[in-house]
Amino acid sequence: MLKLLLAAILVYTTNQIHFPADLGLPGLNIVNLMVLAGFGLLLMSPRDPEAHRPTLDGPLKFYFLALAVGLVIALVSRPMGLMADLTYFKTLVFFPLYYYLFFHGVQDRRTAWQLLLVVGAVAALAALEALSEARAYGFTYSETRRSAGPFGPDYRSSNRAAVFYAMFLPLFLAPLLMLRGQAFWRLVALGCVLLVAAAILFTYSRQGYAIGLLAAALVALRRGPFTALVLAAVFAVALPMLPEGASERVSETQQEGEFGEEQLDESTESRFEIWSGAMAMWSENPMGTGLNRFKSLIGEYSIYSDIDAHNYFVLTLAEAGPLGVVALLWLVWSMWRLARLVQGAAIDARTVALARGLQIAVLAMVLGNLYGSPFSEGAVMGMFWAVLALLERLAILEQREAEAWAAMAEASAGAADARASEPRLRHPDGGLTAGRP
């Protein structure tokens, strides 16, 4: 029952836009109830007697504490709407709870692999949806004809869609390049790589292009310099065949001003203006303005009002102060460290390959939050928290299984030595037989 619910949570979280969500209750929706049901089933399940403390437990609790301090600052210094503030806080802490749910909800390797397959299928279907949108747009580019997949109703969500696809690209590319002797899984990985790469292409997100290319290059370099050169050659050959809209979108970054001078496009320029305003906001509020206050205050410090920070680290500094940024940086570093620990501890070659991809996926996630703020968005980050938990759990279960086999082998060898050392009686016909005098 719990396994089916976990799979349903993975499917629903990324595809919330296609399912009913509102329950008519303030601050509560369907995915909240699904996760609460998951924790309820977890509490009723037998406890693992050899349970390990999750790697991200300390960093996550410190991050939650920093957010709670930010909530108190908001309620005390700038009271607005209590329910809106509590809902904002709930959104920030809710999706990281997937890490605990999936870590403790998986008790065997079979379940972990089944859920990872669900993750891969959901990501691939999300990419297919982006390609379907691109086909409906005639594979032509305009600002309003950018694929967003299941991450939003229109082009305004294309950047967060690109971040999602770029995060999952190294998780598919690493098994493709690093698994040996497993042709089936490499073929599956190849199909997923092609899907998410094409999805990134048709989001026409410059951020997505940069992150995707960097992630692919780093995975290839992890495999070896020759692989990196081959990948670069493939890209060079494919570049002229890419849709004209992709190069057009990249060229829009630099534009010509009224007097012929080079200048950044409005989207890029606006971010620098917002970030400058955020720094001014923080300088006047060293402990942070409090959660859910950035949009209402940014108009006092920049020409833009009621707008997102377009950088989760800047947003955290402005709202939760240095304590929030320290907590966030510790959490992000711990994610990368978790991937490294899994890589060193895992025994199955597939787990090792995924862990190598996860290290680079963490970097892609960080880069995605430097030009946007999808860290708190469940459709983008929900499955990522689950992947962190599932791979960590897999490594633990693999080690446990290997230790059990080693103990059995040692016990078997000890029993054989004991039998060999027992006194033997000579049989009348000259043979040997086990026995005691």
Side-chain angles (χ1 to χ4, degrees), residues 12 16-25 28-33:
Y12 183 92
Q16 293 177 57
I17 192 173
H18 300 310
F19 297 106
D22 191 16
L23 292 172
L25 300 173
L28 192 64
N29 54 37
I30 290 178
V31 73
N32 297 156
L33 290 184

Side-chain angles (χ1 to χ4, degrees), residues 37-50:
F39 278 112
L41 290 173
L42 196 57
L43 290 173
M44 292 186 288
S45 303
R47 292 206 168 198
D48 183 356
E50 302 178 57

Side-chain angles (χ1 to χ4, degrees), residues 3 6 48 102-118 179 182 185 342 345-354 389-405:
K3 178 167 66 174
L6 293 177
D48 183 356
F102 282 83
F103 181 88
H104 293 294
V106 171
Q107 300 299 325
D108 58 85
R109 292 175 63 191
R110 180 185 177 87
T111 299
W113 279 114
Q114 288 174 340
L115 291 174
L116 282 170
L117 286 174
V118 173
L179 280 181
Q182 301 195 41
W185 291 116
V342 170
I347 296 170
D348 191 318
R350 295 171 300 173
T351 310
V352 174
L354 285 172
L390 290 171
L391 287 180
E392 181 179 1
R393 193 67 175 150
L394 256 180
I396 291 171
L397 292 170
E398 287 174 10
Q399 279 198 334
R400 190 180 296 178
E401 188 173 307
E403 289 168 1
W405 279 106

Side-chain angles (χ1 to χ4, degrees), residues 163-314:
V163 170
F164 175 89
Y165 299 133
M167 283 163 46
F168 278 87
L169 177 63
L171 286 169
F172 293 134
L173 187 58
L176 171 63
L177 298 182
M178 298 178 187
L179 280 181
R180 296 182 179 180
Q182 301 195 41
F184 174 77
W185 291 116
R186 294 182 75 179
L187 187 61
V188 170
L190 174 61
C192 292
V193 165
L194 294 176
L195 283 175
V196 295
I200 293 172
L201 181 66
F202 289 110
T203 61
Y204 296 109
S205 168
R206 292 164 295 190
Q207 175 189 18
Y209 293 169
I211 298 172
L213 286 172
L214 178 61
L218 290 175
V219 173
L221 284 171
R222 289 296 303 270
R223 179 66 178 81
F226 179 74
T227 303
L229 287 173
V230 170
L231 189 65
V234 169
F235 179 74
V237 171
L239 189 60
M241 295 182 281
L242 295 180
E244 185 179 345
S247 57
E248 181 184 344
R249 175 62 175 164
V250 173
S251 67
E252 287 180 357
T253 305
Q254 290 285 347
Q255 297 183 350
E256 199 170 274
E258 183 180 354
F259 301 102
E261 75 280 9
E262 283 194 354
Q263 62 183 31
L264 297 174
D265 69 298
E266 183 181 355
S267 173
T268 305
E269 187 73 36
S270 67
R271 282 170 165 79
F272 289 108
E273 171 68 22
I274 294 167
W275 297 341
S276 177
M279 293 299 103
M281 184 190 302
W282 172 63
S283 67
E284 292 187 10
N285 303 272
M287 295 299 293
T289 61
L291 298 187
N292 199 26
R293 297 296 181 266
F294 184 88
K295 285 187 177 182
S296 63
L297 293 175
I298 188 60
E300 301 176 16
Y301 301 93
S302 75
I303 60 175
Y304 299 95
S305 60
D306 194 31
I307 194 169
D308 179 64
H310 293 291
N311 182 311
Y312 192 71
F313 296 90
V314 171

Side-chain angles (χ1 to χ4, degrees), residues 66-82 84-86 88-89 92 285 287-294 296-297 318-321:
L67 294 177
V69 171
L71 175 63
V72 171
I73 291 174
L75 295 176
V76 172
S77 63
R78 292 179 177 82
M80 292 174 60
L82 177 61
D85 290 340
L86 290 177
Y88 185 88
F89 174 74
L92 293 179
N285 303 272
M287 295 299 293
T289 61
L291 298 187
N292 199 26
R293 297 296 181 266
F294 184 88
S296 63
L297 293 175
E319 292 193 337

Side-chain angles (χ1 to χ4, degrees), residues 305-385:
S305 60
D306 194 31
I307 194 169
D308 179 64
H310 293 291
N311 182 311
Y312 192 71
F313 296 90
V314 171
L315 176 64
T316 302
L317 177 64
E319 292 193 337
L323 178 66
V325 172
V326 170
L328 179 59
L329 290 174
W330 184 27
L331 177 58
V332 167
W333 177 82
S334 297
M335 290 179 182
W336 185 86
R337 178 174 172 269
L338 183 155
R340 187 174 179 83
L341 289 174
V342 170
Q343 180 184 330
I347 296 170
D348 191 318
R350 295 171 300 173
T351 310
V352 174
L354 285 172
R356 288 176 175 172
L358 182 60
Q359 275 190 287
I360 296 165
V362 171
L363 176 61
M365 181 273 295
V366 172
L367 294 175
N369 280 279
L370 290 178
Y371 211 64
S373 306
F375 193 81
S376 61
E377 296 184 19
V380 177
M381 286 294 297
M383 286 211 309
F384 194 72
W385 289 110

